[in-house]
Amino acid sequence: MDFGWKILIPIALGWFLLLAALREFSPDGEFGDSLRVVLISFGVAIVAVAMFGAALRVSARNRSDAFDAENPSGDTPSRSTQNGATV
């Protein structure tokens, strides 16, 4: 389910936007116009992926800082086991 929501749906939406841009900005199907639209779309995609990666790093850093604030001794929380199952 994660694969569908996190990978396939964004790819499908990106493909849809690329096709819409090609129809709008290259109605005659000329190669030069189509190539320009595809290159601009790839540039936008690269910037979007970089921004998403930066947001994930900031989010991970904030979670790490919050964990450090809750656990100042630096100990990792212990888990108890009961009949072989982690509780």
Side-chain angles (χ1 to χ4, degrees):
M1 188 63 92
D2 280 345
F3 180 69
W5 281 103
K6 293 180 181 178
I7 304 296
L8 295 178
I9 289 178
I11 288 174
L13 290 173
W15 181 251
F16 177 74
L17 290 173
L18 177 63
L19 291 178
L22 284 171
R23 291 229 1 134
E24 180 65 28
F25 298 111
S26 179
D28 299 331
E30 294 179 15
F31 181 74
D33 292 338
S34 298
L35 182 63
R36 183 175 36 243
V37 169
V38 169
L39 291 176
I40 290 170
S41 298
F42 278 134
V44 169
I46 288 170
V47 169
V49 167
M51 290 175 66
F52 183 69
L56 286 177
R57 284 191 298 277
V58 168
S59 176
R61 188 175 339 131
N62 288 343
R63 277 183 279 158
S64 174
D65 291 345
F67 177 76
D68 291 341
E70 290 175 5
N71 191 8
S73 65
D75 296 334
T76 58
S78 62
R79 293 184 178 213
S80 62
T81 58
Q82 183 177 6
N83 297 332
T86 302
V87 180

